[in-house]
Every structure is written in C-alpha cells, then in structure tokens.
Amino acid sequence: MVGDEGAEEDGVEGLAFLDRLLASDANFSNHSKGRTQKAMDVGAGVGRVTKTILLKRYGQVRLVEGDAALSKRSRTYLGKKRCANGRCTFTCAMLQNLQNLPPDEESYDVVW
C-alpha cells in the first residue's frame, strides 16, 4: 500500500524526535493532564505518521488531508481496530481552509 516504504524506520526516528521534544519542555507533558491527549496530523496522506508515531503517544488523532482519495485510503490503512472508540477522526480539507473547520471542544497537544 502507498505509504509503507520506509515506514518502520521513519516511525522509529519520528518517535525519538517526538519523545525528545516532549522531554525538553514541561509544557508539552503537563498541558493535557486530566484529559485524553490529542494530536492533529495535517497533510496526513494515508495515515503513515498517525499509524507509526501519533497513535503510539496520543489517545486521539485528527487526520486532515486535502485529497479525498487519500483521506478515504487512510481509513483502510489504519483499520477499524486501530481507530476504534473515536481514536481517529478524518477531515478532508485543504490546509488554507483549516480555519473554517468547526472548532473542537479542546485544543491539540501537538500538530504534526
């Protein structure tokens, strides 16, 4: 499937980067105490970053992709089990239109 080439290596490096970032600033790790941590994957494609990095560190991920076909493929790529119980939400929108999306009740802990 599109997005699998190099995913494992990129995931390891991405997790290491994110962990260094979280460890370097107490605001990142303390910001969401008492609630589910949320991430947004902008330009998500098929969801490779969500699968290999974000779902390993965050309870909920919103995938934003401008291409409807890729957004649809991300649902298949991630699978129902991985995205069960509202762990993943999918939004088809162009980056310049993100400001027009209905706001979430909570902010995001990280935008990738």
Side-chain angles (χ1 to χ4, degrees):
M1 172 169 271
V2 172
D4 284 337
E5 302 82 28
E8 187 174 329
E9 297 84 10
D10 287 348
V12 169
E13 291 178 24
L15 279 172
F17 167 77
L18 184 57
D19 288 342
R20 284 192 309 271
L21 178 66
L22 295 173
S24 72
D25 189 335
N27 289 326
F28 281 107
S29 57
N30 291 327
H31 176 70
S32 62
K33 285 198 176 182
R35 68 171 175 79
T36 301
Q37 291 188 319
K38 295 173 69 174
M40 181 185 283
D41 186 353
V42 179
V46 297
R48 185 172 83 166
V49 167
T50 293
K51 180 180 179 179
T52 61
I53 301 168
L54 298 177
L55 284 174
K56 293 180 180 181
R57 296 295 184 265
Y58 295 91
Q60 295 177 342
V61 179
R62 182 177 188 175
L63 292 89
V64 179
E65 173 54 47
D67 182 281
L70 285 177
S71 184
K72 184 176 179 179
R73 286 180 86 175
S74 67
R75 289 168 171 77
T76 303
Y77 181 73
L78 292 169
K80 290 180 182 178
K81 183 177 179 181
R82 190 173 282 114
C83 290
N85 301 319
R87 286 201 71 205
C88 297
T89 55
F90 302 87
T91 302
C92 186
M94 299 299 289
L95 182 59
Q96 63 268 26
N97 296 329
L98 282 180
Q99 65 195 25
N100 299 327
L101 294 177
D104 288 335
E105 291 180 17
E106 301 178 40
S107 62
Y108 292 91
D109 299 293
V110 70
V111 176
W112 189 283

